[in-house]
Amino acid sequence: MPYGVTGTTLPVMNHLPPPAEELRLLDAELRQLDARRAQLLARRAWLVATLQQARQQPQQAWAQARTQPPPVAWSRPETAAPSVQNVLLVLGGVLLTLAAAVFTLVSWGHMGITGRALVLGAVTLAALVGPALLLKRGLRSTAESVAGLGLALTVLDAYALHEAALAGTDGTGYAAAAAAVLAGIWSAYGLLPATAALRLPLPCALVAAQFPLLLWALSADAGSYVISAALLVTAGLDAVVALRVTGASVRICAVVGGYGTGGWGVLGAGWLSVTADGPGAAARAGTLLLLAAAIALGAAWRVSGPGVRHALGLAAASGLLTVGALGGVARFGVPAEWVVAVHLALGVALLAGLRAGQLLPDAVRHGVAWASAIVQALAFLWALPVVALVVMGPAGWLVRVWSGAPADARAAVAVEAPWPSDAAAAPVVLLMVAAVLASAVRAERWRPRARLGALGLLWAAALLLPAILAVPYLAGMSVLGVMTAAALYLGRTTTSGARVTALVLALVTAVDLTLVSLASQTATLVVLSMLTALPAAASWRAGLAPFTAPAALVHAAALASAMGAAVDWPPARTALLVLAVPAAAALLAPRLGAQRATVPVEAAGAAAGLLAVGLALTDPPLLALVLALCGVIAAGTALRPDRRPVGYAATALFVLAAWVRLAAWEVGTPEAYTLPVTVPALLVGALRRRRDPQASSWAAYGPGLAATLVPSLLVAWGDPQWTRPLLLGTAALLVTLLGARHRLQAPLVLGGSVLALVALHELAPYVVQVTGALPRWAPPALAGLLLLALGATYEQRIRDVRRVREVLGRMN
């Protein structure tokens, strides 16, 4: 910019306004401030008034709350009005009934005959007429209460009539007639148009109707048959009422009465059938049971809809009653042992109801089928003890081994228990039930199971035949052997359920055959040989091996024991024969085709090994040999990659064998027992440390060192000689030096501890002498010096910590 321009342009560029303009601006600003101040003052006045009003309102509310009473809190009723009403009405009716009873029983004698009749008649008539009037006014509950009072008064009228005019009559007969009359009167009263809405008269009439026939039979001394018939007829009438009447209360009373009187009638008729002493008495009791069956069947036929379950139960009861009735009569025409078979035949005949098709309702047909199934189940339970005797009875030969062959198969099974007199029908019963299972079950879901059950029953029947027919001893064992072979052959089927069933039957039969053969030495050896060969031959099939291979090994162990006993070997020497079984198991387990058979075979071999050890317990040298051989077998098993852990068992067996041998030599030195454990353990630990350098020395060397050092230390402390402590101390010193050389904690700690304890044991007498030679003040002084040294050390450590803290502080 040129120099001459500055002087002319600076006055124009000044930013201050002229004085007039600045005054105008100041006045405008002051006016705005005055308006804002007025607005703020107004707002302040409004806020002050609001706060004063807010302070006055709580005080007025508090004063008003103190002067006015608290509001009334209405509580919700705990009981509904209809409930209170019913309780009051029932209670009133009960009290009036009690009052009437007291009047009739107590105050009756103070009035004349006319007065009594008028009072009771008037009160009863009023009580019976009152409900009709109350129903017209809509007071239903009150009408029910008054009606109940009227019904109770009629009972009192009947009692009063007997006491006043008919006192000489039989009480039971009069009660029967009164119950019948009251039932009729109450029924008529409940059916009248004016009182038909009442719920109480008809159920009460039905309750009263339960007693006339029973009381009449009791009054006439008619006997048990008539009493049972009266109960059954009453139950039939109840069934008719329950099926005809639609009222819920009446039907419930009828059902309860029918079940009650019918149940007692059936019990009475059944007892008469069981205790009948002739065909005539049995026929009369059977007629009663057939009557009960007809009532139940008729009720089941008519029941439908929601009562299908009742129909099913009634139909089943009808079938059972029919079987009981006909069987009770038939038992007088057949031998005693065939009574169960006759009942079973009648039960099987009930299955004809299944063939009736549309002639019978489904519920009835199914109920009859259930009745047949119950009869068959009861017959099977009757035959089950005979089967148990044949299977478990030969166990009595365990305490009579090789005492001599019995005369026949029956004597072979009935060793300790007597033979049942009615066992002849057991096979027939089993065969009949098996035939039903095989032919009557049609459902696809249950048919395979029913056939397996039939197979088991056929097996049980065949098992019973030799004993029932009392065939010769050898023939009976031959039958059992054929059954075992047949069951094993049937086990070749591909169906899992059938295979398991056949194998179970084969094993049970084999056990029974083994027990029976114990009576004779020759029979035992032959049977055990056969039972070893048959399962072994069947084990080549993969599906049978998990069951048959262990069974063959078990019988082979038993055969080895029997052979040793046959040649009069002692049990310890027989154990060497038994060891052939675990050896064979160890060889065969990995070679069987079925992977599932490996573990069962090895378990059977281990059990045979335990048997061998148990047999050799009485002879320590042979026991050591048996343990060593078991160790060899276990070591051979451990060579398999999947059985490496068995090596621990092999080591334990070798150690036990060595210990038993040392004990047989009467060796008392503990190192002879511990060193055979320590050396292998240390070798194993060294191999582990070489493969895994991070392994702890306690896990590698601790068990092996402790196995020798600890027992030797315990013996050394009680050994008065110097040889053992010297050798133990030397060994502990070497272990300590090795631990220090290789920086291993376990050898260092164990060796040092044992060395210190051995040194303490050896120097203890000299320490005692030195302690006795010192004055009495010496021990306290030594203890004080020790404490001072510890205190000085502690102080030194604290001072070092303070120095470190100061250095760190200066660094900050």
Coordinates of all heavy atoms in Angstrom, one line a residue, residues 634-691:
A634 N -0.7 -114.2 33.5 CA -1.0 -112.8 33.5 C 0.0 -112.0 32.7 O -0.4 -111.1 31.9 CB -1.1 -112.2 34.9
A635 N 1.3 -112.4 32.8 CA 2.3 -111.7 32.0 C 2.1 -112.0 30.5 O 2.3 -111.1 29.7 CB 3.7 -112.2 32.4
G636 N 1.7 -113.2 30.2 CA 1.4 -113.5 28.8 C 0.2 -112.7 28.3 O 0.2 -112.3 27.1
T637 N -0.8 -112.5 29.1 CA -1.9 -111.7 28.7 C -1.5 -110.3 28.5 O -2.0 -109.6 27.6 CB -3.0 -111.9 29.8 OG1 -3.4 -113.2 29.9 CG2 -4.3 -111.1 29.3
A638 N -0.6 -109.8 29.4 CA -0.2 -108.4 29.3 C 0.6 -108.1 28.0 O 0.8 -106.9 27.7 CB 0.7 -108.0 30.5
L639 N 1.1 -109.1 27.3 CA 1.7 -108.9 26.0 C 0.8 -108.3 25.0 O 1.3 -107.7 24.0 CB 2.4 -110.2 25.5 CG 3.5 -110.7 26.4 CD1 4.0 -112.1 25.8 CD2 4.7 -109.7 26.5
R640 N -0.5 -108.5 25.1 CA -1.4 -107.9 24.2 C -1.5 -106.4 24.3 O -1.5 -105.9 25.5 CB -2.8 -108.6 24.3 CG -2.8 -110.1 24.0 CD -4.0 -110.8 24.6 NE -5.3 -110.1 24.4 CZ -6.4 -110.4 25.0 NH1 -6.4 -111.4 25.9 NH2 -7.5 -109.7 24.7
P641 N -1.6 -105.7 23.3 CA -1.6 -104.2 23.4 C -2.7 -103.7 24.2 O -2.6 -102.6 24.9 CB -1.6 -103.7 22.0 CG -1.1 -104.8 21.1 CD -1.5 -106.1 21.9
D642 N -3.9 -104.3 24.2 CA -5.0 -103.8 24.9 C -5.1 -104.4 26.3 O -6.1 -104.1 27.0 CB -6.3 -104.2 24.1 CG -6.4 -105.7 23.9 OD1 -5.4 -106.4 24.0 OD2 -7.6 -106.2 23.7
R643 N -4.2 -105.1 26.7 CA -4.2 -105.7 28.1 C -2.9 -105.3 28.9 O -2.5 -106.1 29.7 CB -4.4 -107.2 28.1 CG -5.8 -107.6 27.6 CD -6.8 -107.2 28.6 NE -8.1 -107.7 28.2 CZ -9.0 -107.0 27.5 NH1 -8.7 -105.8 27.0 NH2 -10.2 -107.5 27.2
R644 N -2.3 -104.2 28.6 CA -1.1 -103.8 29.3 C -1.2 -103.7 30.8 O -0.3 -104.1 31.5 CB -0.5 -102.5 28.7 CG -0.2 -102.5 27.2 CD 0.9 -103.5 27.0 NE 1.4 -103.4 25.6 CZ 2.2 -104.3 25.0 NH1 2.6 -105.4 25.6 NH2 2.6 -104.1 23.7
P645 N -2.4 -103.2 31.3 CA -2.5 -103.1 32.8 C -2.4 -104.4 33.5 O -2.2 -104.4 34.7 CB -3.9 -102.4 32.9 CG -4.1 -101.6 31.7 CD -3.5 -102.5 30.6
V646 N -2.7 -105.5 32.8 CA -2.6 -106.8 33.5 C -1.2 -107.1 34.0 O -0.9 -107.9 34.8 CB -3.1 -107.9 32.5 CG1 -3.1 -109.3 33.2 CG2 -4.5 -107.6 32.0
G647 N -0.2 -106.3 33.4 CA 1.2 -106.5 33.9 C 1.3 -106.2 35.4 O 2.2 -106.8 36.0
Y648 N 0.6 -105.3 35.9 CA 0.6 -105.0 37.3 C 0.2 -106.2 38.1 O 0.8 -106.5 39.2 CB -0.2 -103.8 37.6 CG 0.2 -102.5 37.0 CD1 -0.5 -102.0 35.9 CD2 1.3 -101.8 37.5 CE1 -0.1 -100.8 35.3 CE2 1.8 -100.7 36.9 CZ 1.1 -100.1 35.8 OH 1.5 -99.0 35.2
A649 N -0.9 -106.9 37.6 CA -1.3 -108.1 38.3 C -0.3 -109.2 38.3 O -0.1 -109.9 39.2 CB -2.6 -108.5 37.7
A650 N 0.4 -109.3 37.1 CA 1.5 -110.3 37.0 C 2.6 -110.0 38.0 O 3.1 -110.9 38.6 CB 2.0 -110.3 35.6
T651 N 3.0 -108.7 38.1 CA 4.0 -108.4 39.1 C 3.6 -108.7 40.5 O 4.4 -109.3 41.3 CB 4.3 -106.9 38.9 OG1 4.7 -106.6 37.6 CG2 5.4 -106.5 39.9
A652 N 2.4 -108.4 40.8 CA 1.9 -108.7 42.2 C 1.9 -110.2 42.4 O 2.2 -110.7 43.5 CB 0.5 -108.1 42.3
L653 N 1.5 -111.0 41.4 CA 1.5 -112.4 41.6 C 2.9 -113.0 41.8 O 3.2 -113.9 42.6 CB 0.8 -113.1 40.4 CG -0.7 -112.9 40.3 CD1 -1.2 -113.4 38.9 CD2 -1.4 -113.6 41.4
F654 N 3.9 -112.5 41.0 CA 5.3 -112.9 41.2 C 5.8 -112.5 42.6 O 6.5 -113.3 43.2 CB 6.1 -112.3 40.1 CG 6.0 -112.9 38.8 CD1 5.8 -112.1 37.6 CD2 6.0 -114.3 38.6 CE1 5.6 -112.7 36.4 CE2 5.9 -114.9 37.4 CZ 5.7 -114.1 36.2
V655 N 5.5 -111.4 43.0 CA 5.9 -111.0 44.4 C 5.3 -111.9 45.4 O 5.9 -112.3 46.4 CB 5.6 -109.5 44.6 CG1 5.8 -109.1 46.1 CG2 6.4 -108.6 43.7
L656 N 4.0 -112.1 45.3 CA 3.3 -113.0 46.3 C 3.9 -114.4 46.2 O 4.1 -115.0 47.3 CB 1.8 -113.1 45.9 CG 1.0 -111.8 46.3 CD1 -0.5 -112.0 45.8 CD2 1.0 -111.6 47.8
A657 N 4.2 -114.9 45.0 CA 4.8 -116.2 44.9 C 6.2 -116.2 45.7 O 6.5 -117.2 46.4 CB 5.0 -116.6 43.5
A658 N 7.0 -115.2 45.5 CA 8.3 -115.1 46.2 C 8.1 -115.0 47.7 O 8.8 -115.7 48.4 CB 9.1 -113.9 45.7
W659 N 7.1 -114.3 48.1 CA 6.9 -114.1 49.6 C 6.4 -115.5 50.2 O 6.9 -115.9 51.2 CB 5.8 -113.1 49.8 CG 6.3 -111.7 49.6 CD1 7.6 -111.3 49.3 CD2 5.6 -110.5 49.8 NE1 7.7 -110.0 49.2 CE2 6.5 -109.4 49.5 CE3 4.3 -110.2 50.0 CZ2 6.1 -108.1 49.5 CZ3 3.8 -108.9 50.1 CH2 4.7 -107.8 49.8
V660 N 5.5 -116.2 49.4 CA 5.1 -117.5 50.0 C 6.2 -118.5 50.0 O 6.4 -119.2 51.0 CB 3.9 -118.0 49.1 CG1 3.5 -119.4 49.5 CG2 2.7 -117.1 49.2
R661 N 7.1 -118.5 49.0 CA 8.2 -119.4 49.0 C 9.2 -119.0 50.1 O 9.7 -119.9 50.8 CB 8.9 -119.3 47.7 CG 10.3 -120.0 47.6 CD 10.1 -121.5 48.0 NE 9.3 -122.2 47.1 CZ 9.0 -123.5 47.2 NH1 9.4 -124.2 48.3 NH2 8.2 -124.1 46.3
L662 N 9.4 -117.8 50.4 CA 10.3 -117.4 51.5 C 9.6 -117.8 52.8 O 10.3 -118.2 53.8 CB 10.5 -115.9 51.5 CG 11.4 -115.3 50.3 CD1 11.4 -113.8 50.3 CD2 12.8 -115.9 50.4
A663 N 8.3 -117.6 52.9 CA 7.7 -118.0 54.2 C 7.7 -119.5 54.3 O 7.9 -120.0 55.5 CB 6.2 -117.5 54.2
A664 N 7.6 -120.3 53.3 CA 7.8 -121.7 53.4 C 9.2 -122.1 53.8 O 9.4 -123.1 54.5 CB 7.4 -122.4 52.0
W665 N 10.2 -121.3 53.4 CA 11.6 -121.6 53.9 C 11.8 -121.0 55.3 O 13.0 -121.1 55.7 CB 12.6 -121.0 52.9 CG 12.6 -121.7 51.6 CD1 12.3 -123.0 51.4 CD2 13.1 -121.2 50.3 NE1 12.5 -123.4 50.1 CE2 13.0 -122.3 49.4 CE3 13.5 -120.0 49.9 CZ2 13.3 -122.1 48.0 CZ3 13.9 -119.8 48.5 CH2 13.8 -120.9 47.6
E666 N 10.8 -120.4 55.9 CA 11.0 -119.9 57.2 C 12.0 -118.7 57.2 O 12.8 -118.6 58.2 CB 11.3 -120.9 58.2 CG 10.2 -122.0 58.4 CD 10.5 -123.0 59.4 OE1 11.6 -122.9 60.0 OE2 9.6 -123.9 59.7
V667 N 12.0 -117.9 56.2 CA 12.9 -116.8 56.2 C 12.3 -115.6 56.9 O 11.1 -115.3 56.6 CB 13.2 -116.4 54.7 CG1 14.1 -115.1 54.7 CG2 13.9 -117.5 54.0
G668 N 13.0 -115.1 57.9 CA 12.4 -114.0 58.7 C 13.0 -112.6 58.4 O 12.6 -111.6 59.0
T669 N 14.0 -112.6 57.5 CA 14.6 -111.3 57.2 C 13.7 -110.5 56.3 O 13.3 -111.0 55.2 CB 16.0 -111.5 56.5 OG1 16.8 -112.3 57.3 CG2 16.6 -110.2 56.2
P670 N 13.3 -109.3 56.7 CA 12.3 -108.5 55.9 C 12.9 -108.1 54.5 O 12.1 -108.0 53.6 CB 12.0 -107.3 56.8 CG 13.2 -107.1 57.7 CD 13.7 -108.5 57.9
E671 N 14.2 -107.9 54.4 CA 14.8 -107.5 53.1 C 14.6 -108.6 52.1 O 14.5 -108.3 50.9 CB 16.3 -107.2 53.3 CG 16.6 -105.9 54.0 CD 16.4 -106.0 55.5 OE1 16.3 -107.2 56.0 OE2 16.4 -105.0 56.2
A672 N 14.5 -109.8 52.5 CA 14.3 -110.9 51.5 C 12.9 -110.7 50.9 O 12.7 -111.2 49.8 CB 14.4 -112.2 52.2
Y673 N 11.9 -110.1 51.6 CA 10.6 -109.9 51.1 C 10.5 -108.6 50.3 O 9.7 -108.5 49.3 CB 9.6 -109.9 52.2 CG 9.5 -111.2 52.9 CD1 10.3 -111.5 54.0 CD2 8.6 -112.2 52.5 CE1 10.2 -112.7 54.6 CE2 8.5 -113.4 53.1 CZ 9.3 -113.7 54.2 OH 9.2 -114.9 54.8
T674 N 11.2 -107.6 50.8 CA 11.1 -106.2 50.2 C 11.9 -106.0 49.0 O 11.5 -105.3 48.0 CB 11.4 -105.2 51.2 OG1 12.7 -105.4 51.7 CG2 10.4 -105.2 52.4
L675 N 13.2 -106.6 48.9 CA 14.0 -106.4 47.8 C 13.5 -106.9 46.5 O 13.6 -106.2 45.4 CB 15.4 -107.0 48.1 CG 16.3 -106.2 49.1 CD1 17.6 -107.0 49.3 CD2 16.6 -104.8 48.6
P676 N 12.7 -108.0 46.5 CA 12.1 -108.4 45.2 C 11.1 -107.5 44.7 O 10.7 -107.5 43.5 CB 11.5 -109.8 45.5 CG 12.3 -110.3 46.7 CD 12.7 -109.1 47.5
V677 N 10.6 -106.6 45.6 CA 9.7 -105.6 45.1 C 10.4 -104.3 44.7 O 10.1 -103.7 43.7 CB 8.6 -105.3 46.3 CG1 7.7 -104.2 45.8 CG2 7.9 -106.5 46.6
T678 N 11.5 -104.0 45.5 CA 12.2 -102.7 45.3 C 12.9 -102.7 43.9 O 12.8 -101.8 43.2 CB 13.2 -102.5 46.4 OG1 12.4 -102.3 47.6 CG2 14.0 -101.2 46.1
V679 N 13.6 -103.8 43.6 CA 14.4 -103.8 42.4 C 13.6 -103.7 41.1 O 13.8 -102.8 40.3 CB 15.3 -105.1 42.4 CG1 16.0 -105.2 41.0 CG2 16.2 -105.1 43.5
P680 N 12.5 -104.5 41.0 CA 11.6 -104.2 39.8 C 11.0 -102.8 39.8 O 10.9 -102.2 38.7 CB 10.6 -105.3 39.8 CG 11.2 -106.4 40.7 CD 12.0 -105.6 41.7
A681 N 10.6 -102.4 40.9 CA 10.0 -101.0 41.0 C 10.9 -99.9 40.6 O 10.6 -99.0 39.8 CB 9.4 -100.8 42.4
L682 N 12.2 -100.0 41.0 CA 13.2 -99.1 40.6 C 13.5 -99.1 39.1 O 13.7 -98.1 38.4 CB 14.5 -99.2 41.4 CG 14.3 -98.9 42.9 CD1 15.7 -99.2 43.6 CD2 13.9 -97.4 43.1
L683 N 13.5 -100.3 38.6 CA 13.8 -100.5 37.1 C 12.6 -99.9 36.3 O 12.9 -99.2 35.3 CB 14.0 -102.0 36.8 CG 15.2 -102.6 37.3 CD1 15.2 -104.1 37.0 CD2 16.5 -102.0 36.8
V684 N 11.4 -100.1 36.8 CA 10.3 -99.5 36.1 C 10.3 -98.0 36.2 O 10.0 -97.3 35.2 CB 9.0 -100.1 36.6 CG1 7.8 -99.4 36.1 CG2 8.9 -101.6 36.3
G685 N 10.7 -97.5 37.4 CA 10.8 -96.1 37.5 C 11.9 -95.5 36.6 O 11.7 -94.4 36.1
A686 N 13.0 -96.1 36.5 CA 14.1 -95.6 35.6 C 13.6 -95.6 34.2 O 13.9 -94.6 33.5 CB 15.3 -96.5 35.8
L687 N 12.9 -96.6 33.8 CA 12.4 -96.6 32.4 C 11.4 -95.5 32.2 O 11.3 -94.8 31.1 CB 11.7 -98.0 32.1 CG 12.7 -99.2 32.0 CD1 11.9 -100.5 31.8 CD2 13.7 -99.0 30.8
R688 N 10.6 -95.3 33.2 CA 9.6 -94.2 33.0 C 10.3 -92.8 33.0 O 9.9 -92.0 32.2 CB 8.6 -94.2 34.2 CG 7.5 -93.2 34.2 CD 6.6 -93.3 35.3 NE 5.6 -92.2 35.2 CZ 4.6 -92.0 36.1 NH1 4.5 -92.8 37.2 NH2 3.7 -91.0 36.0
R689 N 11.3 -92.6 33.8 CA 12.0 -91.3 33.8 C 12.7 -91.1 32.4 O 12.9 -90.0 31.9 CB 13.0 -91.3 34.9 CG 12.4 -91.1 36.3 CD 12.1 -89.7 36.6 NE 13.3 -88.9 36.6 CZ 13.4 -87.6 36.9 NH1 12.2 -86.9 37.1 NH2 14.5 -86.9 36.9
R690 N 13.2 -92.3 31.8 CA 13.9 -92.1 30.6 C 12.9 -91.7 29.5 O 13.2 -90.9 28.6 CB 14.6 -93.4 30.2 CG 15.2 -93.4 28.9 CD 16.0 -94.7 28.6 NE 17.1 -94.9 29.6 CZ 18.0 -95.9 29.6 NH1 17.8 -96.9 28.7 NH2 18.9 -95.9 30.5
R691 N 11.7 -92.3 29.5 CA 10.7 -92.0 28.5 C 10.0 -90.6 28.8 O 9.7 -89.9 27.8 CB 9.6 -93.1 28.5 CG 10.1 -94.4 28.0 CD 9.0 -95.4 28.0 NE 9.4 -96.7 27.6 CZ 8.6 -97.8 27.5 NH1 7.4 -97.7 27.8 NH2 9.1 -99.0 27.1

